[in-house]
Amino acid sequence: AEVRSQDKNNNKLPVKFGKVTPEDFNSNIAGVDTSAGAVVIADYGISTFDGSAKGWFDLVFKHSRRVRILKKTAFDIATVTITLYVGDRDQEKLEGLRASTYTLENGKVVETRLDDKSVFTDRLDKHHIQKKFTFPALKEGAIIEYTYTQTSPYLFELQPWAFQGSYPRLWSEYQVDMPEFFRYVTLGYGYVPFGVNTSTSQNVTFHLTF
């Protein structure tokens, strides 16, 4: 099978997710409008197609984000909601959720991890549920970071991506790897050109179990 990928630029990500240093609290954000109260340091998503145990494909979406909170007025960005589709026979799954708040105390980085019990589930309608959580130990100047994997048997649920939003984003990247026999319509909105927009092909092997 052949894979087509877009915006594949992993080696240039500005942060290493899961590792926060004291220097990260002094990072230069010159030129960014900080009046919004928060800055998204890095926002990275990747959608891939994996062979499933049902003889077809699963759509796997991995999302990681790091945010620096500058003011209390931006605490709303520390509440995260993830919507999952529920079908008649199967549903999307949320796995590997990790979220932490990092603060700088006496020159040392202190990490406060999200407790699994603090993740709540709400049913929105017949076909959608929502996972929701708020980062712990919030304070001005904190860095918050989360990562998760969303697996879907429904190939029509290819995740969209917002490169910008209500808070400025220093780095926003979305990569899609798919077998060439799948076709999706790509629609882009906005007038700012992409900093990186590439497409490559390579041969890979998928394992499907019947």
Side-chain angles (χ1 to χ4, degrees), residues 85-139:
Y85 183 84
V86 179
D88 295 330
R89 297 183 179 181
D90 209 343
Q91 71 175 59
E92 293 182 333
K93 297 178 181 179
L94 179 67
E95 300 173 309
L97 173 62
R98 291 181 288 117
S100 293
T101 301
Y102 299 90
T103 55
L104 192 62
E105 310 290 344
N106 298 319
K108 295 183 179 181
V109 177
V110 176
E111 178 184 4
T112 304
R113 296 183 179 182
L114 176 73
D115 191 319
D116 291 341
K117 296 179 181 179
S118 297
V119 180
F120 302 97
T121 302
D122 295 321
R123 177 167 288 277
L124 301 180
D125 54 43
K126 179 182 178 181
H127 289 296
H128 295 90
I129 61 174
Q130 190 177 75
K131 300 288 186 177
K132 185 176 182 179
F133 65 89
T134 298
F135 282 85
L138 288 176
K139 61 185 296 186

Side-chain angles (χ1 to χ4, degrees), residues 10-76:
N10 281 338
N11 60 330
K12 293 184 179 180
L13 289 176
V15 303
K16 183 176 181 180
F17 288 106
K19 183 178 181 180
V20 175
T21 66
E23 290 74 22
D24 291 320
F25 292 87
N26 299 317
S27 59
N28 184 10
I29 53 176
V32 175
D33 182 9
T34 58
S35 63
V39 176
V40 178
I41 303 299
D43 202 15
Y44 177 68
I46 176 172
S47 287
T48 60
F49 291 74
D50 288 353
S52 74
K54 298 180 181 180
W56 194 230
F57 290 91
D58 283 334
L59 184 52
V60 181
F61 174 64
K62 297 181 180 180
H63 185 196
S64 299
R65 174 181 283 187
R66 177 181 292 183
V67 178
R68 187 175 176 192
I69 295 181
L70 305 175
K71 301 177 181 179
K72 291 181 179 180
T73 54
F75 277 5
D76 62 294

Side-chain angles (χ1 to χ4, degrees), residues 1-4 178-181 201-204 206:
E2 188 173 279
V3 171
R4 298 181 61 82
M178 69 177 66
E180 65 172 357
F181 48 80
S201 299
Q202 64 180 357
N203 292 321
V204 299
F206 294 98

Side-chain angles (χ1 to χ4, degrees), residues 13-14 21-22 24 26 43 46-47 74 78 82 86 93 112 125 145 147 151-152 161 163 182-183 186 189 205 210:
L13 289 176
T21 66
D24 291 320
N26 299 317
D43 202 15
I46 176 172
S47 287
I82 303 168
V86 179
K93 297 178 181 179
T112 304
D125 54 43
E145 182 177 280
T147 184
T151 302
S152 175
W161 190 259
F163 286 93
F182 286 127
R183 292 289 184 268
T186 302
Y189 299 93
T205 300
F210 294 89

Side-chain angles (χ1 to χ4, degrees), residues 6-14 42-46 61-64 161-163 169-176 194 196 198:
Q6 189 173 27
D7 290 348
K8 192 170 186 177
N9 201 36
N10 281 338
N11 60 330
K12 293 184 179 180
L13 289 176
D43 202 15
Y44 177 68
I46 176 172
F61 174 64
K62 297 181 180 180
H63 185 196
S64 299
W161 190 259
F163 286 93
R169 306 183 190 188
L170 299 184
W171 186 272
S172 184
E173 177 177 340
Y174 189 34
Q175 174 182 324
V176 180
F194 291 115
V196 178
T198 61

